[in-house]
Amino acid sequence: MAADTAPAEALRSAVTRLEVEAFATPSYYHRTLTGLGLERVDFDDRSDQLLTHYVRLTEETGQRAGELGHLISPAYLQGLLQNLPLWVEACRTALMSWGIFHDRRL
């Protein structure tokens, strides 16, 4: 998800590869869940784990590019190698959010 405070244009280069306009935010999901008749209990914010995930994913993808080149198309792999650093930077600048929503039916 995008952080609630992240301007959509700040993530545009990262989300382009996914062919989406923008990411939803925690606020969007809270509103949607409420509209579906759920009551918010908690949001377990795990955003602090995103940077570690994307740094490791970037490292592993780069280190295993030769092996991955036999499993996925070279164009897709090249796109990953170019795109993943954008995600790392988005996490470093607190533009991303991730967590677990705890809600219950009313």
Side-chain angles (χ1 to χ4, degrees):
M1 294 179 285
D4 281 319
T5 57
E9 62 275 1
L11 291 171
R12 193 155 329 278
S13 60
V15 302
T16 298
R17 185 180 65 82
L18 301 176
E19 299 180 8
V20 297
E21 291 293 318
F23 282 140
T25 63
S27 294
Y28 166 82
Y29 284 110
H30 286 303
R31 285 190 310 273
T32 301
L33 291 167
T34 299
L36 293 171
L38 298 173
E39 174 187 33
R40 179 179 179 178
V41 174
D42 188 29
F43 176 65
D44 187 5
D45 190 347
R46 303 284 180 99
S47 299
D48 60 326
Q49 297 175 3
L50 282 171
L51 180 59
T52 300
H53 168 72
Y54 280 108
V55 166
R56 291 286 298 133
L57 185 59
T58 302
E59 290 170 353
E60 286 294 318
T61 303
Q63 290 172 3
R64 299 175 76 180
E67 176 186 342
L68 291 170
H70 299 292
L71 302 171
I72 59 178
S73 76
Y76 186 82
L77 179 58
Q78 186 62 33
L80 280 175
L81 293 171
Q82 291 173 344
N83 193 255
L84 285 171
L86 300 174
W87 290 79
V88 170
E89 186 58 26
C91 293
R92 280 198 173 113
T93 55
L95 296 174
M96 301 296 297
S97 181
W98 183 74
I100 302 166
F101 294 91
H102 299 270
D103 292 80
R104 69 175 143 238
R105 213 166 268 289
L106 297 172

